[in-house]
Amino acid sequence: MAIRWILASLAGMIVGYCVLAMVFVVTAPDLRMRFLLVNVPENKTGIVIEQTTGLMVRGGKPTPVAHDVLLSIKGHPINTSLDFMREESALRSGDYDLGVERWSLNGFESPGHVPIEFLQKSTGQIQKTDVKVQSVPIREVSLTLVWFLLELLIFSVSAVAFWNRPFDDAARLFFAMCTVTLAAFVGGFHWWTLGSNFWLNLPFVICGVLLPAVILHFFLVYPRPKPPLTLWPRSVIAAIYAIPVMTIVAFFIVDGFLWLLMESSGNNADVKLALLTWLRAGIYSYICLAALYFVVALVALTHSWLTTRNPIERNQVRWILRAGCAASVFIGYSMYLAFFDRENFVLGGGRWPMFLASLVFMVAYAVGIVRYKLMLVDQIVNRGMSYYVLSYGATGTVAFLIASGTLAVRKPHALEQQTWVIAGIMMLAVILLIWLRDSWQMFVDRRFFREKYRLDKTLQRMNQAVGRLADVDFLTERMLSSCQDVLQPELAAIYLRDARSTNFRLAGATGDSAGMPLQFTAPDEFCEALQSDPTLQRVTSGSRDSLTPIQSLLRQVKGDLIHALETNGEITGVVVLGGKQSGLMYSAEDLTFLTALGQITGIALHSANVHQNLKHLNEELRSKVDQISQQRQQIAMLQAELTTNRVDTPSIPVVEFRREAIIGRGSAISRVLDMVRKVAPSESSVLVRGESGTGKELLAKAIHENSPRRNGPLVSVHCAALSSGLLESELFGHVKGSFTGAHSDKQGRFELAHGGTLFLDEIGDISAETQVKLLRVLQQREFEPVGGSHTIQVDVRLIAATHQNLERLIAEGKFREDLYYRLNVISVVLPPLRERPEDILDLSVSFLKSASTRDGKRIARFDDEALNALMRYSWPGNVRELQNVIERAVVLAESDTVELTDLPFDIQNATGSLQPSHRQEPFRRLNDLDAVPVTVWNDDDPDAERQLLLDALHQCGGNKTKAAKRLGLPRSTYFSKLKKHGITDDEPNDPPRFGRIPR
């Protein structure tokens, strides 16, 4: 914050200097004669006039022209250009009595004149004349005014971007570049006039010298830091700024010494001439260095254009590179003038080329800002533009009235046509002063009334938290973080009330919460006191015996203040705050802020409780519906068994569904878990399909833990990680001596999984030989180890997983069709993370807790911008990528909050919102119309099986292929079941006439 204010203050001073300089140029009296720094004649008497523009003399006296030699002004000898500047400075300071000036209401009655002596080159005679004192014509300042207004727009955008992103190196350097550019060009356009005032000229010289270095530094950072800057940051920065800084020091010394000589009365023309010669040599040397800096900046721009992969950044860089190439033409022309036409260059010949060079860069920046969101200013410029237009329009009107009123009372020493130009410049000055006054006032208000200015951010946080009504922990965390940011207590905690009892349990805490009770029972007078006054504060007491129950409770929970959370007139919880870190007492504004925040939190917590109650009721209702359905099935089974005189078989007890490892509440993952709940109790093989990183192994674990085999082993094999021979040995084991390296017998994974579940990951990568042996195990439940002859019987449930398109592999002859049908008895498809955006927040919070605990950090929350970036990103790596990103952010985070800058750059620049992917997936998604449902067959109830076949056939309009797909059966199996139950086209119970079963 301090650095931001310092840089902003310096920039404001520089802009103020620019306005002051333009007022100085417009109002300063001028003799309309121009000279070079070193242009004395051979006899070293006087200086050679190089240019006279609009010079006027009194009456019919002789007029000096170019190449004449100026000898004196009002009797003062002129030996160098410094002497001429000294006389003009005396003119501006009012040291001359022009005599003929008279003020009137209509302006000057007669302009002033200054007597001079000059050597006329054409006649060789010394002439005396009176030169008219004039002001700078409008045409000479109009170009500066136009350029200043255009550059001021870019400067304003850069200032807002820097103010909102103070730790962004690119934004900070862009702001610095606009600032020094603004000053360098104003000083360069009017160096002759400004050069007569040392202290006014100094800031422009400093900015002009720093401009090439700042431009190069910016293009080495933007849009991404270049390799030299990332490898040797301090060395590169020192190399960039060393020569400019030394040049500024040298200029300050030489120019200061020249001014001392200019103010002295001695005859020191030779010393002045020598110093001016050194100064000119230094200026031309630095011009060469500036050209070199510009070439390196173009090389850095070219490197950025060739290496960047972000399309928005690439478009920005392309426009700026085009501007750099166009500007190089104008800069090259200026360099030509500087070295081969020095008189024209010094006397203003380089103004238009440099103006055009700057203009093309302005156009490039404007295109980047408007079209390609340069420096992310779309987050700033698009916020209530009508408000800013009206506000600054009113400020401009007030400034214009002030400037016009000032000129109406007393007009400056200028021509009538320049009055409105001066009024415009003064208007800009007034606008800048008002803006600086308002900015300082805002800073003071935020310093002394911080709660008022942070309430908006707090409300936005709570509004986002209210969107997650079911997560009480998230609501309490947001409430506590807001209290910590604004009120800055040593500790903060929230206790929630259990129903209408006086028991309060700890819901969350921040700060020094060690020793706080996890729950407490409040005395009756505690709740009564909170009903009358929602805020209770700790008071100092003489002894423990004299403490009231309320004060004792405050000390028990280590709080200096307790605030009630009310809903519908009932206390639902309390906020406990410790003492302030500053040691001050809580003020009335603190309590007002806490009351407003407490009301919002109370409503949000009440809504969360209602939401959770509804959820529990819905789950209970669903459980009861499932129980009723199971009971009906059991009754039907019992009736069938009584009819056939079969012995009752014990029913499988209903156990609670376990899903600890799978996080998410969205509809997509809920459908998957609902399917897992149905298929887990069966013994059928399951094929889990989904993209890499979606959590297929976790789903297999959930199926195992909810199956009757939960007490048996769960053995996992990653098929893609093993070669064909090694995979066969891993699956079926081997006997000693069966191959080289088989020094002892080894049990295979099938044998190890006996009585449990075997999970084969990436089943699509196994070889054809292994597929044959695997098919036999699935059919006969027996196998022989590698190199062995004895047969091993196993009781294993198989779960396979793949991210490949097995149907395509079958068509290509890489996967056996009969093995596919054996594996694909039940198919479960895991959706990618981009199709379940509602689960991103829950997954992020879970990964944040585990990563911060593992790394020993106290990171408790995400910044709002970081959360929005996580929600915008498409997550091609799915849940695994999200976990890695959160772990990286925890490592990089330097506070208790994950900021946007802690995330990878691609996630920071993610745009849009998550939508289901439209690309062709290698498997079917759950919401496809042809998704295969899970059908649990009961071989003990042939009537029920027959009815299932008829219903599917009727729903598919007699199409047996679709009916088989609907039931999740291979086509051949479906026809076999039709034949088994004798269902033909003559079936009397089905109105549609089905085709006969092919034999």
Side-chain angles (χ1 to χ4, degrees):
M1 178 64 73
I3 296 177
R4 180 166 59 175
W5 273 102
I6 291 173
L7 293 179
S9 301
L10 289 175
M13 291 174 58
I14 291 175
V15 175
Y17 260 107
C18 292
V19 175
L20 180 63
M22 286 189 290
V23 174
F24 183 81
V25 169
V26 172
T27 60
D30 190 20
L31 298 181
R32 309 306 299 152
M33 290 186 287
R34 296 292 179 263
F35 311 89
L36 300 182
L37 284 177
V38 183
N39 58 349
V40 299
E42 295 181 357
N43 59 4
K44 298 183 180 180
T45 301
I47 55 175
V48 179
I49 300 173
E50 293 293 339
Q51 186 184 75
T52 58
T53 305
L55 185 145
M56 300 176 65
V57 298
R58 186 196 300 269
K61 294 185 176 182
T63 302
V65 296
H67 306 300
D68 289 347
V69 179
L70 179 65
L71 300 176
S72 67
I73 297 178
K74 204 177 181 182
H76 300 153
I78 304 297
N79 296 318
T80 65
S81 57
L82 289 179
D83 297 328
F84 179 81
M85 289 183 179
R86 179 193 63 203
E87 299 304 319
E88 279 200 330
S89 178
L91 256 175
R92 292 161 188 151
S93 62
D95 292 346
Y96 282 162
D97 182 10
L98 300 180
V100 294
E101 293 184 35
R102 296 291 184 271
W103 289 103
S104 70
L105 294 177
N106 296 323
F108 291 108
E109 293 180 355
S110 176
H113 291 75
V114 174
I116 69 169
E117 288 185 346
F118 68 96
L119 176 64
Q120 200 171 43
K121 185 178 181 180
S122 59
T123 62
Q125 298 178 356
I126 297 177
Q127 303 287 349
K128 294 183 179 181
T129 187
D130 294 330
V131 178
K132 181 181 179 181
V133 178
Q134 306 179 65
S135 296
V136 177
I138 296 296
R139 62 179 180 275
E140 291 192 18
V141 297
S142 58
L143 182 64
T144 307
L145 288 174
V146 172
W147 182 90
F148 181 77
L149 292 175
L150 293 176
E151 182 67 21
L152 196 61
L153 294 176
I154 304 296
F155 170 80
S156 301
V157 173
S158 69
V160 177
F162 162 70
W163 189 261
N164 288 272
R165 302 175 62 84
F167 301 107
D168 187 340
D169 290 339
R172 185 166 59 249
L173 286 172
F174 185 64
F175 174 63
M177 183 178 67
C178 292
T179 303
V180 296
T181 302
L182 193 68
F185 275 81
V186 170
F189 278 13
H190 303 283
W191 74 271
W192 183 265
T193 306
L194 297 176
S196 61
N197 188 307
F198 175 77
W199 295 108
L200 184 61
N201 189 42
L202 184 61
F204 302 108
V205 172
I206 293 175
C207 291
V209 173
L210 289 178
L211 179 59
V214 175
I215 291 176
L216 176 59
H217 191 185
F218 171 71
F219 288 123
L220 288 177
V221 171
Y222 178 79
R224 304 289 178 88
K226 304 303 180 291
L229 198 60
T230 56
L231 295 175
W232 311 287
R234 294 184 179 179
S235 301
V236 172
I237 293 176
I240 293 175
Y241 289 98
I243 298 179
V245 170
M246 290 188 293
T247 302
I248 291 172
V249 174
F251 172 82
F252 182 82
I253 295 173
V254 173
D255 201 34
F257 191 52
L258 282 171
W259 272 93
L260 291 176
L261 293 176
M262 186 177 72
E263 297 294 335
S264 65
S265 59
N267 187 9
N268 43 31
D270 292 337
V271 178
K272 292 179 184 178
L273 188 61
L275 290 176
L276 286 174
T277 304
W278 294 347
L279 184 61
R280 184 180 66 178
I283 291 173
Y284 278 96
S285 299
Y286 195 78
I287 289 175
C288 297
L289 179 66
L292 177 62
Y293 274 29
F294 182 76
V295 172
V296 177
L298 288 181
V299 173
L301 268 175
T302 306
H303 177 271
S304 300
W305 181 66
L306 294 175
T307 57
T308 184
R309 294 293 179 263
N310 188 305
I312 295 179
E313 291 179 355
R314 188 178 181 86
N315 287 326
Q316 296 170 3
V317 173
R318 182 171 66 246
W319 275 92
I320 299 176
L321 182 59
R322 289 173 179 173
C325 295
S328 63
V329 177
F330 304 116
I331 294 175
Y333 176 70
S334 298
M335 294 288 292
Y336 168 80
L337 293 178
F339 288 96
F340 300 101
D341 192 359
R342 295 183 176 182
E343 292 79 5
N344 187 16
F345 175 75
V346 172
L347 298 175
R351 288 183 180 181
W352 274 105
M354 296 308 296
F355 171 79
L356 295 175
S358 178
L359 183 63
V360 294
F361 273 111
M362 286 186 193
V363 172
Y365 293 143
V367 171
I369 290 170
V370 175
R371 186 175 180 182
Y372 299 114
K373 305 175 183 178
L374 179 64
M375 310 303 296
L376 301 178
V377 295
D378 61 307
Q379 302 173 1
I380 304 157
V381 177
N382 292 333
R383 299 181 306 174
M385 288 303 297
S386 58
Y387 166 78
Y388 289 103
V389 170
L390 293 175
S391 177
Y392 286 107
T395 303
T397 302
V398 172
F400 178 75
L401 293 175
I402 294 174
S404 302
T406 303
L407 292 174
V409 175
R410 179 181 175 92
K411 295 182 180 179
H413 187 89
L415 297 180
E416 185 70 25
Q417 60 178 339
Q418 294 172 298
T419 300
W420 295 110
V421 176
I422 300 172
I425 296 174
M426 292 180 64
M427 184 179 70
L428 287 176
V430 174
I431 291 175
L432 288 173
L433 290 175
I434 293 176
W435 176 78
L436 289 174
R437 192 280 313 271
D438 292 342
S439 299
W440 176 252
Q441 185 66 44
M442 185 179 298
F443 170 75
V444 173
D445 289 345
R446 289 185 176 180
R447 175 63 180 85
F448 292 95
F449 302 101
R450 177 177 53 203
E451 296 81 359
K452 177 176 67 176
Y453 286 92
R454 293 194 179 182
L455 181 60
D456 179 64
K457 183 177 180 180
T458 300
L459 292 178
Q460 291 179 1
R461 285 185 176 182
M462 295 306 299
N463 183 47
Q464 184 177 6
V466 170
R468 296 181 58 189
L469 291 177
D471 195 344
V472 178
D473 294 337
F474 189 74
L475 291 172
T476 56
E477 184 270 332
R478 282 304 171 96
M479 168 70 177
L480 293 175
S481 63
S482 299
C483 292
Q484 193 77 32
D485 291 343
V486 178
L487 304 179
Q488 296 184 349
E490 294 178 351
L491 65 90
I494 291 182
Y495 286 88
L496 297 182
R497 188 178 182 181
D498 294 337
R500 295 185 178 180
S501 66
T502 57
N503 296 326
F504 291 80
R505 57 178 178 82
L506 183 64
T510 60
D512 186 15
S513 59
M516 295 189 68
L518 298 179
Q519 61 181 8
F520 66 86
T521 301
D524 295 335
E525 55 264 33
F526 176 76
C527 296
E528 294 175 0
L530 287 178
Q531 289 285 358
S532 59
D533 187 356
T535 303
L536 301 176
Q537 295 196 48
R538 184 174 179 176
V539 297
T540 304
S541 179
S543 63
R544 291 184 176 271
D545 297 334
S546 60
L547 291 177
T548 64
I550 296 177
Q551 293 298 319
S552 299
L553 180 61
L554 279 167
R555 283 161 174 76
Q556 178 185 349
V557 297
K558 300 177 61 177
D560 279 21
L561 181 145
I562 285 183
H563 183 81
L565 301 176
E566 294 185 10
T567 304
N568 297 329
E570 294 185 359
I571 298 175
T572 57
V574 293
V575 179
V576 179
L577 300 179
K580 279 194 170 184
Q581 297 176 7
S582 60
L584 300 176
M585 297 293 293
Y586 288 99
S587 64
E589 289 194 356
D590 295 336
L591 300 183
T592 302
F593 170 82
L594 190 59
T595 300
L597 187 59
Q599 290 176 352
I600 298 173
T601 306
I603 296 173
L605 290 174
H606 177 70
S607 302
N609 291 330
V610 171
H611 184 84
Q612 289 183 346
N613 292 335
L614 290 175
K615 183 179 179 181
H616 292 325
L617 291 174
N618 188 29
E619 291 178 353
E620 291 178 2
L621 181 61
R622 182 182 299 176
S623 176
K624 290 180 179 180
V625 171
D626 293 340
Q627 290 178 4
I628 293 173
S629 177
Q630 292 177 2
Q631 290 174 358
R632 287 180 177 176
Q633 293 180 2
Q634 291 176 1
I635 292 172
M637 292 173 60
L638 290 173
Q639 289 176 346
E641 291 175 358
L642 289 174
T643 303
T644 56
N645 293 323
R646 293 186 177 180
V647 180
D648 293 343
T649 57
S651 60
I652 300 175
V654 179
V655 296
E656 182 181 1
F657 182 75
R658 301 178 59 184
R659 50 159 292 180
E660 293 82 4
I662 302 178
I663 300 170
R665 299 182 178 88
S667 58
I669 197 66
S670 297
R671 288 195 297 268
V672 172
L673 294 176
D674 187 60
M675 180 179 291
V676 170
R677 183 180 58 81
K678 295 177 181 179
V679 306
S682 70
E683 292 292 326
S684 302
S685 299
V686 180
L687 179 61
V688 182
R689 313 182 74 170
E691 296 179 7
S692 297
T694 52
K696 296 187 287 295
E697 187 169 1
L698 293 178
L699 191 68
K701 184 178 180 181
I703 295 174
H704 171 76
E705 291 178 350
N706 290 280
S707 70
R709 296 175 176 266
R710 67 180 65 88
N711 296 324
L714 172 63
V715 180
S716 300
V717 180
H718 195 286
C719 301
L722 302 172
S723 62
S724 176
L726 187 57
L727 176 62
E728 183 176 349
S729 174
E730 281 291 322
L731 291 176
F732 308 110
H734 62 260
V735 299
K736 180 179 179 181
S738 57
F739 55 87
T740 303
H743 302 298
S744 60
D745 293 346
K746 177 183 177 182
Q747 284 186 326
R749 298 297 180 93
F750 269 98
E751 190 174 357
L752 292 174
H754 181 73
T757 305
L758 179 64
F759 173 63
L760 299 181
D761 197 8
E762 300 302 335
I763 192 68
D765 295 325
I766 64 176
S767 63
E769 297 80 7
T770 308
Q771 292 180 35
V772 174
K773 295 189 177 184
L774 184 59
L775 179 62
R776 182 195 172 196
V777 177
L778 294 177
Q779 290 176 339
Q780 303 178 7
R781 303 291 178 179
E782 61 181 25
F783 65 93
E784 291 82 30
V786 177
S789 58
H790 64 283
T791 301
I792 299 176
Q793 302 287 336
V794 290
D795 177 21
V796 175
R797 181 183 186 178
L798 186 66
I799 301 176
T802 184
H803 71 281
Q804 300 194 49
N805 190 330
L806 295 182
E807 292 81 358
R808 185 174 66 246
L809 294 179
I810 292 173
E812 295 172 358
K814 298 179 180 179
F815 200 87
R816 294 181 62 90
E817 185 176 7
D818 48 359
L819 177 59
Y820 168 78
Y821 288 122
R822 282 289 181 181
L823 295 174
N824 195 30
V825 177
I826 299 173
S827 180
V828 180
V829 181
L830 268 173
L833 187 56
R834 60 182 171 274
E835 295 183 1
R836 40 184 294 210
E838 60 272 24
D839 297 335
I840 292 177
L841 203 52
D842 291 333
L843 290 166
S844 301
V845 172
S846 176
F847 293 151
L848 178 64
K849 290 180 180 178
S850 59
S852 59
T853 301
R854 182 174 60 254
D855 292 347
K857 291 189 174 182
R858 301 184 65 180
I859 301 177
R861 60 183 181 271
F862 292 89
D863 182 70
D864 297 340
E865 295 181 352
L867 279 178
N868 293 333
L870 293 176
M871 297 299 296
R872 291 193 303 265
Y873 189 57
S874 59
W875 299 111
N878 295 299
V879 179
R880 184 183 295 116
E881 183 184 9
L882 175 61
Q883 182 177 11
N884 294 338
V885 167
I886 300 301
E887 290 181 2
R888 173 187 183 274
V890 169
V891 173
L892 297 180
E894 297 180 350
S895 64
D896 62 343
T897 303
V898 174
E899 305 286 348
L900 179 65
T901 55
D902 298 330
L903 302 178
F905 193 81
D906 294 337
I907 298 179
Q908 295 181 31
N909 290 333
T911 58
S913 58
L914 288 184
Q915 298 292 340
S917 175
H918 297 288
R919 64 176 181 175
Q920 183 65 33
E921 300 290 344
F923 44 79
R924 293 174 297 202
R925 294 191 295 269
L926 288 172
N927 55 353
D928 290 342
L929 294 176
D930 61 343
V932 180
V934 178
T935 304
V936 180
W937 296 94
N938 190 349
D939 296 331
D940 296 332
D941 191 354
D943 293 334
E945 183 179 88
R946 188 173 190 275
Q947 190 61 40
L948 283 173
L949 297 172
L950 289 172
D951 291 343
L953 203 57
H954 178 65
Q955 292 171 3
C956 296
N959 190 316
K960 297 183 180 63
T961 302
K962 290 185 178 180
K965 185 180 298 185
R966 185 176 186 84
L967 293 174
L969 294 175
R971 190 168 179 271
S972 58
T973 304
Y974 179 75
F975 282 120
S976 299
K977 288 185 178 292
L978 289 178
K979 182 178 179 181
K980 170 184 174 183
H981 292 283
I983 299 176
T984 64
D985 54 350
D986 298 324
E987 181 64 38
N989 294 329
D990 291 291
R993 298 188 61 81
F994 308 127
R996 290 189 174 276
I997 302 172
R999 302 183 181 275

